Structure formats: C-alpha cells, structure tokens
Amino acid sequence: MLDQATIICRCEEISYEEVAEVIRYGARTFDDVKRLTRCGMGPCQAKICMSLVAQVIHAETGRALPEIPLPRMRMPLSPIKLETLATNRTSFSAVKSVLDEVEPEEGMR
Amino acid sequence: METSYETIIIGGGVVGSSIAYHLSERYKEGLLVIDKKFPMSGTSGSTQAWVWVHSKTPAWYAEFSMYSAELYPYLAKKIGDVEYKRTGGLSPFFREQEREKAKRLAEEYGKIGIQIDVLSREEVLAKEPFFNPRVAGATFSLLDGNVNPFRLIDMYMRTAKKNGVHYSTYNRVTDIRRRNDMFIVVSEKGTYASKRLILAAGPWSRELGKLIGINIPINQVRGQILVTEPLKPFLRYTISGLRQANNGEVLIGYSMEQAGFDRSTTLDVIQETANLAIHYVPALKKAKIVRAFSGIRAMPEDGLPILGKVPGIDNLYVAATHSGVTLSPLIGTLLAELLLDGETSLPIERYSLSRFA
C-alpha cells in the first residue's frame, strides 16, 4: 500500500503526498506531474516511478489506468556519455552561437 | 449557457500566466486563463530559460529585455523563489576576427547603458576555468542569468489563482466570435463570454488569430536540448549554448530548425549539440546524458515581440514573442498597465501588430 510518505520517485525523492498535491492542483498526466515536481526527471528517466504515478493519478482522480497517458520517453533510453554521441565535427548546421546571429549594424537604426 | 468573465487570456504559458498574475495584483474582476493542455506542456516547459539581454539586436530590443531582467529580483519577492540567478552571461568566439564584431556590439550597447565587456582568452579562462583553452575571447554581460522555468510558471499560476484567477486546462479553444461588444470563446469544455480578450498562444498564435480573422505572423522553430546527469558545480556563468542548473545538471543546446509543430528529437542535431558542448567545455565529454528534449518556440516573422492592442478590434490584445522567459515580467507588467490604465510606462508602439499591415 502507498501511504502519504511513500517515495514515488527515488531519483528526485518525491513522495506520494507531493504527487497527490499537484494532481489536486490540476495536473492530469505523468508529464504534468513531472514538470511540477521533477518526479521522473532523474537518471532512471521514470522507469521506476512511471506506474506508481499512474496509480496516484488513478487514486486521486478516479481515471481508469488504461486511459492515463504514458510519459514521453526521451532518447537516450539509458544514460550515455557525451563523447559517445559526439562526431568530432566542428562545423554546425542547425546549431548556432549567439554571436553568429548578432548584426551590430542593425543597432544603428 | 455561458460563463461570463471580464477578461479571458488564451494561453497559460510563461507569457499568459505572467499577464494573468500581473493583472490579478491590481484587479479582482473575473479573469480566466484557458490552456489547450497544461501550462508548461508547450514552449515554456522546454527551454534552457536564460534571462538573456546581451547580444539581442537591435539595441532598443536589448534595452527592452534589460528592463525585464531588472524586474526579476522583485518578482521573486512577490511570487516566491523561482530560482532566478543573475550569473552573468558569456558568449564565446573562437576566431580572432570576431573580436571586431564583439567590440562594435559593446560600443553600440554602451550608448544605451548596457555594459558589455569583450574578454581576452585569459579573461575567459579566469572566469570559467573549464572552458576550452582554444577560445579566442567572449562577450560578457553582468545582466544575464537564468531561471527555473517550471518554478517560474508554477509560481505565476499559483499566485494568480490565489488572487482569484480561474484556470481552465486541457481545454482547447475551437472558435472565437463577436456578439455585440463581447467575445464569445467556444472551447471543448464550454462557452465563455468576456469583455476583453488576450491572445497569448506563443507558437500557436497564427492558428489562434485565424479563429477571429486576424493575421498574427508567428512561425515555429524547434530547439533541441540535452541534459546531463547532475555534476558537481563547475560552471559559474550562463554561457550561450549551455548552463548548469541548481541541481548540477548541465543543459546544452543552441539549435534552430524549421520543423513546424514536430517536437521529435533527432540524432543529427543531438550529435551536433554534443559536439558544441565538448567544443565549449571539453571536460563534459565524460558526462552522461540522461535525456534529450525539444521545444517549439514562437518566432515572429521579424523576430521581435508582438504586443498590445489589435488594431481594428476593440478590447482585443495580443502578446506573443520569442524569448518569452526573458520578457515575461515586463510583458505582464505592461499588458496590465495597458488594460487597466490605457497606457504603458514604456512605449510599446514599436511592437504593435500593425507593423505587419
């Protein structure tokens, strides 16, 4: 049984009570709960708390479990080193730097 | 049967919720905020949330951003701690030729009272010891910083509600009509009437404007961001491209793509973002990435905010912009003044929708 002090999210140490509070405040999905409490934002990326949060939403709102949307899963599915992702290229197409965008002449207007 | 309000705001993100909160400070008549999902589920919750002033152009837009940054410390006193930190902002360059451009920027900003220093390699490394020693220099401003966007919007919303503002979430607006002097807002959960209407829908502004027959020329750009595992504090400044949050996570990203409303993350941009991070801060290469996310940002056709009265329709207002986090305290303040006093303490004519006519 979950009680008020039960830790729902171990990574961010979020309790049942904290999750229930934001649901009473209007959160309806896992992702709403996540943004309001950080529940699910830690290293495990919601793998542990996903179904527990669904249970809390069900308990607080009466919404049927199959109707509660799953969290948006994001890549990478498990933590990965930055250097593993990097390609060593130093020219960027979509990625900019601030000074690239600056046109100081425009400031003269 | 419809419910009546004095003012309805469509959009509960950082801009809509700031307006709701600032109005509610002075005004206790019926106020309703309608959001198609839940505040933070769109643009406002998928950002690095820099409060960024330096390197905005033209200079008068930087000045406008500066006034907003100056409001942040007071905001925290009024609505609670939003984890605003005025860290100072560092925008690096890697080629010596860019120093001239940086100096011109600093000179231009000096005229409007924004101090920007152009740093040497040694000065950059003294400020940020983990920065790539191959850096040529950087522009630096004390005004820049960052905020926790979730705390910010949550506190705007909680304080607005405390002041009597109603929120209707998961409620998409499907039609807007005029009846006599009233706006009739038709939504999935009901129909509401109001005397005044504020459109604050960020990247959805163009679609929303069409419902009432006006053109709000705002497009979408996608930005992808990587988040590392929590690291011990080692970055002091808000760097254009990455920052370290209070809990130790580093948020990395400075990408812009045309992708409509597609919020996917893509491997090519993630790889480029990883390259950028390692290029800026080589020590990050061993840091683990726990997630990637992307956000759709509002991009007005000329890049500048669209604020104020909608010409030709009485009591209709628009507030839609890029850099909503930076500008939110100022936009909330000015729109509240415009609605309650009929004039604003800073001129906003420049930002009128009429410039596109």
Side-chain angles (χ1 to χ4, degrees), chain A residues 21 25 32 35 38 41 45 75 79-80 82-83 85 87 93-94 96 98-99 101-102 105 108, chain B residues 38 40 55 101 104 108 158 161 170 240 247 249 254 256 271-272 275 285-287 289 291-292:
Chain A
E21 191 268 335
Y25 178 64
D32 295 340
R35 295 181 189 109
R38 293 198 59 83
M41 278 200 187
Q45 288 293 292
M75 93 182 253
I80 182 174
L82 251 179
E83 66 181 351
L85 284 169
T87 61
S93 57
K96 299 178 190 311
V98 165
L99 213 57
E101 299 187 330
V102 170
E105 288 76 9
M108 306 291 190
Chain B
F38 196 78
M40 295 175 255
S55 71
K101 194 175 175 183
R104 284 205 306 278
E108 202 54 46
R158 281 179 197 266
K161 282 186 177 177
Y170 287 100
S240 63
N247 65 355
E249 292 177 342
Y254 204 110
M256 284 186 195
Q271 286 177 323
E272 284 194 20
N275 290 343
K285 68 181 178 203
K286 299 289 179 198
I289 292 299
R291 67 179 170 278

Side-chain angles (χ1 to χ4, degrees), chain B residues 9-27:
Chain B
I9 300 171
I10 302 176
V14 72
V15 171
S17 284
S18 172
I19 296 169
Y21 157 67
H22 282 94
L23 273 171
S24 73
E25 265 188 313
R26 291 176 52 194
Y27 185 69

